[in-house]
Amino acid sequence: MDNLPDLSSIWQQTLNWEPNLEKKAQFQQLYQKILQGNRELNLTRITSPRDFWEKHLWDSLAGITSELIDWQQSLKAIDIGTGAGFPGMAIAIALPHWRVTLLDSTRKKVAFLDQLYTSLGLANIETIAARAEELHKQAQYQQGYDLALVRAVGSTSVCVEYALPLVKIGGLAILYRGHWSELEDRQLPEIVSNFGGRVEQIKELSTPLSQSTRHYLYVRKKISNLSY
Ligand code: SAM
């Protein structure tokens, strides 16, 4: 099986961070186990070493690279519709002092993730098999997280609807988007305010290997609006 590329200088130049040897080994293990899991489960179409590095590992961490987020703090994050574990699993490897919950509605994927994080020796992950729109109705999850991360789960408004009820007041929902249109830009403030939030930053980046465009939206939870 191929090895992931060693792109330490690109990590540094783009995100001002690089994985140490232990984290590089965990990323490599993660890659191998996801490729193995892909034989039975439809986990990801991103399988070449360079694509996996860029579109899964780098993109996951690019989303939490913002002056709005202090990596040194011990934050509690939930990754909604995590699939094969992105962005949450990559973040849990990079930042072992964070607690990361991986949420997906597909039980088989969650069972796979349970085996995966155990075999990687990650003690800062928990998983939940549930639908995002149901989870916030349970008191222990409602407004329970500093950060809610959503990548490739649905439209912007659906992502906001899933994420904001799970975020503490003062916390952030981070929406990972590829394409971003002017229309979405105009509609976003109203959608967000319906769920008690305010758009704080929209960051556009070009990915370092294939120069694809990415947008990361940072939505601050301002007030509790649990009437949804
Ligand atoms: N976030 C991952 C990524 O970017 O690689 C996976 C994206 S995949 C296209 C969408 C995932 O969201 C699937 O694993 C699906 O089971 C999950 N999903 C879809 N609707 C959901 C919901 N309402 N609640 C929880 N998970 C959901």
Side-chain angles (χ1 to χ4, degrees), residues 136 143 156-166 186-199 219-228:
H136 73 89
Q143 300 190 151
T156 310
S157 57
V158 165
C159 292
V160 169
E161 179 189 333
Y162 288 175
L164 272 184
L166 296 169
R186 282 202 301 275
Q187 292 172 337
L188 187 67
E190 192 183 336
I191 296 167
V192 160
S193 87
N194 287 342
F195 287 92
R198 192 177 68 203
V199 182
V219 177
R220 181 81 64 192
K221 170 89 161 242
K222 302 300 281 185
I223 54 166
S224 174
N225 180 354
L226 296 174
S227 56
Y228 18 77

Side-chain angles (χ1 to χ4, degrees), residues 4 40 47 82 91 125 140 157 184 197 227-228:
L4 291 172
E40 288 176 24
T47 54
T82 186
I91 291 171
I125 289 186
Q140 75 262 40
S157 57
E184 286 177 290
S227 56
Y228 18 77

